[in-house]
Every structure is written in C-alpha cells, then in structure tokens.
C-alpha cells in the first residue's frame, strides 16, 4: 500500500496575512529609502556644484541653474516615495498611541516636498554662478510658494517626530522616545535659527532637516525588520 503525504491546506487567515505582511514590508522599505535618498542627492550636489556654499545657500537653492533639474527631480521623487512609505507606517502603527497622526504627518511632509520641487525659489546670494549677491529686491510668487511648501514640510516632520516620541514613551521605549524628540528638536531649532537670520542658518537648517528625515527612516526600518 502506498501512503501519500499531503501538505495541510493553508487557512484563509494565514493566506491573507502573508501577502499583507509582504506588502507592508515593501511599503516600509520605501519609507526607509525616501528621505535619506533626498539627503544623499542634495548633499552630493552641495559638495560638487560650482559656487554653492551650504553655509550661505539653502539646499533648495540647488533647484536653480542648468543642473537645477536634478534637485527638482530629487524633491518630487523623494516626496512621492515618502507619501507611499507613509502607508507602511500607518499599517504598523494602527491602533497605537500616535498611530493615526504620525503617518499622516509623514505623508504631509511628502506632499510638501513635491510642492517644493514644483515651485523653485529665486536665485540669490550669488548662486547659481552669475546671480546677484544678496536677496532679490522682490520675490516671485514661485519663491513664496516654495517657502510655504518648505514650512509645511518642516512643520509636519517636527510634529511627526514629537508624535513618535509620545508613541514610544507610552510603549515604554525610552531610547526611541528620546531619539524622536531630539530629532524633532534638531529641526525645530535649526529652522528657527535659519529663520532668525542666524550665522550659517542654512547649515543648521540642513542638519535639522536631515536629522529628522533619517530618524523617520530609522523608525520605518525598525518596524520593517520586525515583520
């Protein structure tokens, strides 16, 4: 007599969990890549573009000049990826303290980045090469739109970090709670110093923005690895 071994049929619940987990992991991978990608591309340009000085020019200024399309694309692509990646955070944080607003705020920051790419600030302070020194006597509406988009992005990132601080604090994860609040504060102070006209304010803003971006990616990676 021949005995045939059969693999037990997978339950409907188990069949549903695997694809869902795979999709969520993919979305979180996008969140891990999105904003650090923006930082790497922006900093590479900052180090190589003629006439650019990060202590004088914001990273947004890289959208100007013959190579400005690179930073414009960088803004739009990173923004789209951030919006997509926020869905992964929504899935893993759902039902937890801060689990509703943290992903929403990350998504809003992505939308702000897309708008910042669509609207380019005016050439200023000698960049790109050939631009007049100092700020223009009058700003274009595109420049105002860019600054508004930047404000939305920064505010959303700061708030997202503080909401994540609340989330981890309630979960008893002290290190993550502190890290979240430090990241949010770095951007808050960096942006505040830049807005006040402080010395090398564009540098402090860049440090703050990148710190917050990298922290969001770090949190996304933490949840991605746990799936």
């Amino acid at each position: 007599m021949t005995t045939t071994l059969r693999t037990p049929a997978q339950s409907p619940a188990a069949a549903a969990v695997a694809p869902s987990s795979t999709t969520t992991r993919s979305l979180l991978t996008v969140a891990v890549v999105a904003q650090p990608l923006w930082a790497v591309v922006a900093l590479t340009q900052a180090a190589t573009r003629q006439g650019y000085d990060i202590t004088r020019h914001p990273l947004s200024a890289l959208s100007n000049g013959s190579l400005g399309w690179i930073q414009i694309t960088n803004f739009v692509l990173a923004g789209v990826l951030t919006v997509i990646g926020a869905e992964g955070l929504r899935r893993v944080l759902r039902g937890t303290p801060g689990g509703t607003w943290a992903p929403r705020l990350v998504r809003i920051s992505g939308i702000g980045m897309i708008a910042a790419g669509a609207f380019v600030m005016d050439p200023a302070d000698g960049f790109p090469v050939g631009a007049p020194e100092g700020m223009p006597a009058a700003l274009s509406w595109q420049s105002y739109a860019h600054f508004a988009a930047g404000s939305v992005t920064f505010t959303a990132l700061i708030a997202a970090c503080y909401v994540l601080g609340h989330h981890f604090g309630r979960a008893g994860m002290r290190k993550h709670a502190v890290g979240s609040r430090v990241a949010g504060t770095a951007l808050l102070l960096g942006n505040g110093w830049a807005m006040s006209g402080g010395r090398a304010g564009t540098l402090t803003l860049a440090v703050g923005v990148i710190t917050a971006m990298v922290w969001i990616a770090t949190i996304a990676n933490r949840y991605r690895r746990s799936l």
Side-chain angles (χ1 to χ4, degrees), residues 148-218:
S151 295
V152 169
T153 301
F154 302 152
T155 302
L157 279 175
I158 292 167
C161 288
Y162 283 130
V163 172
L164 285 170
H166 170 71
H167 165 78
F168 288 118
R170 289 287 298 275
M173 301 174 66
R174 186 173 180 274
K175 289 182 179 180
H176 287 77
V178 171
S180 298
R181 290 167 182 143
V182 167
T185 302
L187 178 49
L188 178 65
L189 295 178
N191 185 45
W193 182 251
M195 294 295 291
S196 70
R199 183 179 178 83
T202 51
L203 176 59
T204 64
L205 175 58
V207 170
V209 169
I210 292 172
T211 299
M213 286 180 167
V214 170
W215 182 253
I216 296 295
T218 300

Side-chain angles (χ1 to χ4, degrees), residues 72 75-80 83 109-119 149 153:
I72 293 171
F75 268 117
V76 174
L77 177 60
V80 170
V83 171
S109 75
I111 294 170
M113 293 179 75
I114 295 170
F119 303 107
T153 301

Side-chain angles (χ1 to χ4, degrees), residues 95-114:
T96 65
T100 298
W101 273 103
R104 285 181 181 175
L105 290 163
V106 171
R107 184 178 294 111
I108 290 170
S109 75
I111 294 170
M113 293 179 75
I114 295 170

Side-chain angles (χ1 to χ4, degrees), residues 24-134:
T24 301
R25 186 180 177 87
S26 297
L27 289 168
L28 288 171
T29 300
V30 173
V32 171
V33 170
Q35 295 183 347
L37 172 65
W38 181 89
V40 169
V41 173
L43 290 176
T44 299
Q45 293 180 83
T48 57
R49 292 279 301 272
Q50 183 181 4
Y52 182 84
D53 180 353
I54 198 171
T55 66
R56 296 175 57 203
H57 308 122
L59 292 172
S60 292
L62 293 164
S63 294
N64 285 297
S66 61
L67 296 177
W69 64 270
I70 298 175
Q71 185 68 341
I72 293 171
T73 303
N74 190 28
F75 268 117
V76 174
L77 177 60
V80 170
L81 293 177
T82 298
V83 171
I84 294 170
E87 173 60 19
L89 289 171
R90 187 191 70 80
R91 294 186 180 197
V92 295
L93 294 175
R94 184 165 44 198
T96 65
T100 298
W101 273 103
R104 285 181 181 175
L105 290 163
V106 171
R107 184 178 294 111
I108 290 170
S109 75
I111 294 170
M113 293 179 75
I114 295 170
F119 303 107
V120 177
M121 67 177 292
D122 298 333
D125 213 9
F127 185 83
V129 175
E133 293 295 330

